[in-house]
Amino acid sequence: MRLLYTVLLYLAAPFALLRLLWKSRQLAGYRGRIGERFGFVPPVAGNGVAVWVHAVSVGEALAAQPLIEALITRFGERRVWVTSTTPTGSARVVAAFGDRVLHSYAPYDLPDVVARFLGRVRPARLVVMETELWPNLFRACAARGIPLTIANARLSPRSFRGYGRVRGFTRRTLADVTMVAAQSKADAARFRTLGGRRERIGVIGNLKFDLALPDAAIDDGRRLRARFGARPVWIAASTHDGEEAAALAAHAALLELQPDALLLLVPRHPQRFDAVWSLIAEAGLAGERRSRLAALDKSGHAPDLWDAQVFLGDSMGEMFLYLAMADVAFVGGSLVPVGGHNVLEPAALGLPVLFGPQMHNFVAARELLLERQAAVEVADAAQLAEELAVLLAQPERRLAMGDAGAAAVAGNRGALKRLLTIIEAQIPAHP
């Protein structure tokens, strides 16, 4: 099966390049640094890096941020190599860590590519975030005696069914894993069912509970909020195609009850910023955008923001700034079949959280916030508007929900400490 998998990957490689070029039409970053994806990275001097951390995209990079900070503290600057697969994930890594870490795109899972990458980076340990199972990479690490941890490991029911169709292949891939540090008992059980060794699977909790709140960004958000006046403000965060229209429809309904309400609309992907800006205009709503405001502020021509009905968050890496401006948060990826995004960030800030029914990527967090009465699930734009109207009109309820969410996040911290114990205990065994 591994041979067939590898042959198919080699056959798909030209199409992968074409796909990068196709995607670069909307996001130019996909055209850059293609050599890194084939293992052509600068060789690391000395003994190599202490830890290689792989975080696919923005969500995984954000989840890995506390871990990477801790690894820098433990092993030193430029001793941690971080990989991602998307330009937005890469940008997040650079923005968060600068030159304190080494960074590149991840190598494709082809034997010669993986060998080239490992030969140049020479990691003592590998930490793969969440659900990435790469058979050739895992085999190469096992052959070289490189301990490999799947951190914050989770398997949604959909992923579980997919891996279950090739259970024998999945079992052999998991045999090369040193430790699966699962988010929950249910995730651990799924890994065991797929053939993971019981003694190599443990439950550490969710790293996302250990997020560090960026005080500077929060202060900036509150200062920016003050420029819009004393108005009710809600955020639609990390939205996808279809959700912006729903958010704008909900906001139009809300404006009939609270004419001074402000919507902060923050799309998930930067290549959609201009399209969403057009949607705001088509909805007949007065808009302002973060990029224009920042440029005007820099030039000394700060505009009057009182008339804006929608503020487009067309920047990357500023989610906490936007959350700090809001009274209520709706988290996207949940009204469309994406699986939801991180509901713990607004909860940690003490915001009531709303989300749609498509939350299969954050099942445990969803259940926790609903159980603690810190969140409300909405079915569509109409129900979103109804819940917003209630929450924005009832400060006592908002405060109670926000306090419950913040307490839920605080009470579930500790995954980072448990994961660091696992990583530090792994002694490389290079043959």
Side-chain angles (χ1 to χ4, degrees):
M1 177 64 82
R2 185 185 301 279
L3 176 60
L4 176 61
Y5 164 81
T6 302
V7 169
L8 290 175
L9 274 189
Y10 275 115
L11 291 174
F15 298 99
L17 289 175
L18 289 174
R19 184 170 180 267
L20 291 176
L21 294 174
W22 178 262
K23 294 177 77 170
S24 72
R25 296 179 314 138
Q26 291 185 312
L27 196 59
Y30 279 106
R31 285 196 300 272
R33 298 156 47 202
I34 289 177
E36 294 177 1
R37 301 180 187 272
F38 289 90
F40 291 103
V41 296
V44 177
N47 296 322
V49 304
V51 188
W52 167 20
V53 178
H54 175 59
V56 180
S57 189
V58 173
E60 291 81 5
L62 288 170
Q65 191 165 333
L67 169 64
I68 296 169
E69 289 286 1
L71 292 174
I72 294 171
T73 300
R74 170 65 179 83
F75 295 105
E77 293 188 0
R78 302 183 68 79
R79 294 279 291 140
V80 178
W81 191 294
V82 183
T83 56
S84 56
T85 61
T86 67
T88 50
S90 176
R92 182 65 219 154
V93 171
V94 172
F97 305 107
D99 61 1
R100 294 184 298 143
V101 301
L102 302 169
H103 169 60
S104 71
Y105 286 126
Y108 286 141
D109 195 32
L110 300 167
D112 60 318
V113 172
V114 167
R116 183 182 302 117
F117 184 89
L118 292 177
R120 295 185 176 206
V121 174
R122 290 175 293 122
R125 305 164 184 82
L126 169 58
V127 177
V128 176
M129 296 299 295
E130 301 204 353
T131 15
E132 295 283 293
L133 299 183
W134 291 5
N136 287 324
L137 172 62
F138 287 17
R139 182 86 286 273
C141 286
R144 289 165 172 78
I146 301 172
L148 191 165
T149 299
I150 304 178
N152 222 37
R154 65 180 177 87
L155 278 175
S156 68
R158 180 179 178 182
S159 296
F160 175 68
R161 289 191 297 271
Y163 285 120
R165 295 189 186 99
V166 286
R167 186 166 298 184
F169 189 33
T170 302
R171 182 182 67 253
R172 289 189 291 274
T173 300
L174 289 174
D176 291 327
V177 176
T178 309
M179 189 69 187
V180 175
Q183 291 187 19
S184 68
K185 292 180 180 179
D187 292 307
R190 292 185 185 114
F191 277 102
R192 286 194 295 269
T193 301
L194 290 175
R197 299 179 186 177
R198 181 174 294 273
E199 69 274 14
R200 296 187 181 184
I201 300 172
V203 179
I204 66 163
N206 192 336
L207 278 178
K208 291 186 169 85
F209 285 105
D210 289 279
L211 78 170
L213 297 180
D215 293 335
I218 292 169
D219 290 342
D220 288 344
R222 288 171 179 161
R223 282 192 292 270
L224 183 54
R225 160 72 183 264
R227 293 174 60 182
F228 285 91
R231 308 164 58 183
V233 180
W234 70 285
I235 183 172
S238 297
T239 55
H240 289 253
D241 189 15
E243 291 182 315
E244 291 90 7
L248 291 169
H251 192 57
L254 179 64
L255 288 172
E256 294 181 8
L257 301 174
Q258 301 191 47
D260 60 342
L262 175 67
L263 163 62
L264 310 176
L265 187 53
V266 187
R268 179 74 171 179
H269 298 116
Q271 61 267 36
R272 300 189 57 251
F273 288 159
D274 289 340
V276 175
W277 180 246
S278 297
L279 284 178
I280 296 170
E282 291 169 10
L285 296 170
E288 184 56 83
R289 54 195 301 173
R290 171 67 169 157
S291 58
R292 176 178 176 272
L293 179 60
L296 289 172
D297 285 349
K298 190 174 181 179
S299 69
H301 297 86
D304 182 1
L305 303 176
W306 288 76
D307 293 332
Q309 296 171 304
V310 182
F311 185 57
L312 176 63
D314 59 344
S315 64
M316 295 297 295
E318 291 194 308
M319 184 56 75
F320 276 103
L321 176 145
Y322 296 125
L323 290 172
M325 296 174 65
D327 300 308
V328 179
F330 165 76
V331 178
S334 59
L335 285 177
V336 293
V338 169
H341 291 299
N342 191 353
V343 293
L344 300 177
E345 290 177 345
L349 277 182
L351 296 180
V353 181
L354 305 175
F355 47 75
Q358 304 280 352
M359 285 290 292
H360 52 265
N361 289 334
F362 287 86
V363 173
R366 168 192 175 275
E367 292 176 353
L368 174 67
L369 295 185
L370 290 175
E371 177 189 331
R372 300 291 181 88
Q373 298 184 339
V376 176
E377 184 176 296
V378 298
D380 50 30
Q383 190 177 0
L384 176 59
E386 292 173 6
E387 293 295 339
L388 286 168
V390 171
L391 286 170
L392 290 173
Q394 297 181 4
E396 297 85 1
R397 185 184 175 201
R398 285 203 313 271
L399 181 62
M401 289 180 66
D403 286 347
V409 173
N412 281 274
R413 294 182 185 273
L416 176 60
K417 183 178 180 180
R418 290 186 282 272
L419 178 59
L420 285 172
T421 299
I422 291 170
I423 294 171
E424 291 184 352
Q426 292 173 347
I427 301 173
H430 295 281

